[in-house]
């Protein structure tokens, strides 16, 4: 089973913002003048860039020039670190676009190709020590429902828990999902599958709780994170009702040869230890008019994506014609990620 919460030591690690702030009090005049020398020395580019990154503004407060400088610094550093030409895009929201997503839960076969494509596209950490996946596919058991079952029986015995009462909803579904399932073949006869990722809420609780306002909602509806300002407090993880955010407990493991060099500042650029990340609707693709990686790879066409403000878009047709629901609608988070049935 992949682990998320084990740390990993690396020789070549950058100091995180938190580490830096913690140790800032120990800086002496001598060390600061040493740093000033470093800044004037073009040789150790990595140290220069790291120092400047520590002092840059929150991305959404930067001027266009400051954004461009920050992007160029990162492009230089990433290209050196990964041994290939890395681009960092800063394309902002497009006027008149509000992105939305719809997923046909009747069609999903639980193959998890979307998960793999997302990991590859978005430079998530991989390997045994810290595997991060933005999409989770839950395997749900198909169940028969009767009121007698609900009131008198509780959980089925095979779950090993008997609490009586409330494990069922009138839809006839056992409210238990398996995150890690390894069948020989999918889809399985007695299961259906329920993929989840960031819902890009219209009223995102994660934004509300972030003490440094490093996560925010862009005008196209994508909830983004400026990784440089994340202090790793994980308030957003606690606030998100959809289990959408992941924390880098250790230094992310992103093999050079597998790194996707086409990145966006607010999306799939390499992350650092101690910061939170999540699905960004593939901002590096979608702001350029492309599908998300998961939409592109889904073998059964269960995933739809588009502009909610365009009445002729496929997503609007899905919302108009299908049986649509949103997850935890009672919370008033207004997800822009919809589930539907034919
Ligand atoms: S962990 Fe979450 S809440 Fe805390 S600073 Fe980072 S984005 Fe904000
Ligand atoms: S699903 Fe979670 S992470 Fe995404 S916007 Fe809503 S609260 Fe934030």
């Amino acid at each position: 089973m992949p682990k998320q919460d084990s740390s990993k030591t690396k020789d070549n690690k950058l100091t995180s913002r938190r580490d830096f702030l913690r140790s800032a009090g120990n800086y002496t005049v001598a060390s600061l003048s040493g740093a000033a020398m470093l800044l004037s020395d073009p040789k150790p580019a990595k140290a220069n860039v790291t120092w400047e990154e520590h002092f840059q503004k929150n991305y959404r407060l930067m001027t266009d020039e400051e954004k461009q400088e920050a992007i160029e610094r990162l492009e230089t550093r990433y290209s050196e670190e990964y041994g290939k030409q890395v681009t960092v895009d800063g394309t902002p929201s497009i006027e008149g676009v509000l992105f939305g997503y719809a997923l046909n839960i009747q069609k999903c076969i639980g193959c998890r190709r979307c998960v793999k494509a997302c990991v590859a596209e978005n430079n998530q950490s991989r390997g045994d020590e810290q595997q991060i996946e933005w999409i989770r596919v839950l395997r749900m058991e198909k169940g028969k429902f009767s009121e007698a079952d609900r009131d008198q029986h509780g959980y089925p015995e095979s779950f090993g828990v008997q609490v009586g009462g409330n494990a069922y909803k009138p839809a006839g579904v056992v409210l238990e999902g398996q995150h890690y399932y390894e069948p020989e073949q999918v889809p399985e006869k007695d299961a259906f599958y329920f993929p989840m990722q960031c819902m890009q809420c219209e009223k995102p609780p994660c934004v509300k709780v972030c003490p440094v306002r490093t996560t925010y909602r862009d005008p196209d509806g994508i909830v983004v994170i400026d990784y440089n300002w994340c202090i790793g407090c994980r308030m957003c993880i606690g606030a998100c009702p959809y289990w959408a955010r992941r924390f880098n407990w250790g230094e992310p493991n992103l093999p050079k040869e597998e790194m996707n060099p086409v990145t966006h500042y607010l999306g799939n650029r390499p992350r650092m230890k101690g910061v939170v990340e999540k699905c960004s609707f593939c901002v590096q693709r979608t702001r350029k008019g492309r599908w998300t990686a998961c939409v592109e790879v889904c073998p059964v066409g269960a995933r739809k994506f588009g502009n909610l403000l365009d009445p002729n878009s496929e997503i609007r047709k899905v919302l108009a014609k299908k049986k649509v629901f949103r997850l935890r609608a009672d919370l008033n988070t207004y997800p822009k990620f919809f589930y539907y049935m034919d």
Side-chain angles (χ1 to χ4, degrees):
M1 183 188 300
K3 283 180 278 179
Q4 265 229 27
D5 33 351
S6 58
S7 300
K8 188 177 181 183
T9 311
K10 276 209 169 168
D11 311 335
N12 190 21
K13 69 178 176 194
L14 292 170
T15 311
S16 75
R17 174 171 283 270
R18 280 189 311 162
D19 293 341
F20 174 76
L21 291 174
R22 206 179 293 130
S23 60
N26 300 330
Y27 275 73
T28 61
V29 174
S31 65
L32 285 173
S33 53
M37 281 172 66
L38 253 183
L39 285 170
S40 61
D41 179 4
K43 263 279 157 69
K46 199 164 166 180
N48 285 347
V49 169
T50 304
W51 182 260
E52 285 174 322
E53 274 176 43
H54 277 308
F55 286 100
Q56 74 190 28
K57 280 189 210 158
N58 191 315
Y59 188 72
R60 75 200 163 88
L61 301 178
M62 287 182 198
T63 62
D64 287 347
E65 290 73 34
E66 286 167 336
K67 281 182 182 164
Q68 195 49 40
E69 277 171 25
I71 281 171
E72 282 168 16
R73 275 200 295 274
L74 286 174
E75 284 180 335
T76 307
R77 178 158 74 78
Y78 293 152
S79 299
E80 276 176 17
E81 282 176 17
Y82 292 94
K84 54 178 120 174
Q85 189 60 45
V86 177
T87 56
V88 180
D89 189 19
T91 304
S93 299
I94 308 158
E95 187 84 20
V97 171
L98 184 67
F99 287 123
Y101 206 112
L103 196 146
N104 189 337
I105 51 166
Q106 269 179 323
K107 276 197 172 167
C108 175
I109 55 169
C111 64
R112 288 190 288 213
R113 285 191 180 92
C114 52
V115 180
K116 303 292 170 223
C118 176
V119 168
E121 170 68 29
N122 290 300
N123 289 324
Q124 285 146 44
S125 180
R126 53 208 75 172
D128 290 339
E129 293 197 37
Q130 180 181 251
Q131 185 172 325
I132 287 186
E133 292 172 349
W134 291 351
I135 302 175
R136 256 174 226 270
V137 182
L138 301 188
R139 177 192 183 276
M140 308 289 284
E141 185 180 316
K142 281 185 187 164
K144 287 208 177 73
F145 171 76
S146 74
E147 274 192 33
D149 283 340
R150 181 190 62 188
D151 296 336
Q152 293 160 21
H153 195 54
Y155 285 88
E157 283 86 349
S158 59
F159 280 83
V161 186
Q162 175 64 50
V163 291
N166 57 8
Y168 295 92
K169 278 269 187 276
V173 168
V174 180
L175 297 179
E176 292 279 355
Q178 276 177 282
H179 306 113
Y180 304 107
Y181 54 93
E182 292 179 344
E184 288 189 358
Q185 207 175 322
V186 289
E188 299 151 277
K189 194 162 62 67
D190 298 324
F192 72 95
Y193 305 92
F194 201 96
M196 287 174 69
Q197 57 210 73
C198 174
M199 306 273 149
Q200 316 296 351
C201 308
E202 279 298 282
K203 293 190 179 175
C206 57
V207 168
K208 207 166 163 185
V209 299
C210 179
V212 287
R213 306 215 48 203
T214 195
T215 188
Y216 56 95
R217 178 191 175 282
D218 257 347
D220 58 7
I222 304 180
V223 175
V224 292
I225 303 167
D226 176 356
Y227 307 116
N228 283 79
W229 271 77
C230 176
I231 55 171
C233 66
R234 287 167 282 143
M235 299 277 283
C236 54
I237 295 182
C240 173
Y242 304 106
W243 199 5
R245 291 181 165 242
R246 311 278 178 264
F247 185 61
N248 284 281
W249 289 96
E251 201 70 49
N253 175 27
L254 178 56
K256 288 182 181 184
E257 61 284 4
E258 292 176 29
M259 190 254 180
N260 173 11
V262 182
T263 75
H264 193 287
Y265 190 98
L266 297 170
N268 63 338
R269 71 179 166 103
R271 275 77 70 188
M272 39 296 215
K273 179 178 172 179
V275 303
V276 162
E277 57 181 79
K278 66 164 191 74
C279 161
S280 67
F281 273 177
C282 282
V283 62
Q284 68 281 0
R285 288 169 156 248
T286 50
R287 285 189 184 167
K288 304 272 189 193
R290 297 182 62 196
W291 298 123
T292 64
C294 51
V295 165
E296 209 167 82
V297 80
C298 179
V300 292
R303 291 170 171 264
K304 308 288 178 199
F305 182 79
N307 182 7
L308 291 169
L309 302 182
D310 175 1
N312 297 315
S313 63
E314 190 180 19
I315 183 107
R316 280 287 292 273
K317 287 180 184 150
V318 166
L319 298 189
K321 294 190 177 143
K322 306 289 183 180
K323 291 178 210 150
V324 178
F325 69 95
R326 299 203 255 202
L327 206 56
R328 295 302 312 270
D330 55 315
L331 294 176
N332 292 336
T333 49
Y334 299 99
K336 285 189 298 302
F337 193 102
F338 302 86
Y339 294 93
Y340 71 98
M341 289 161 278
D342 289 318

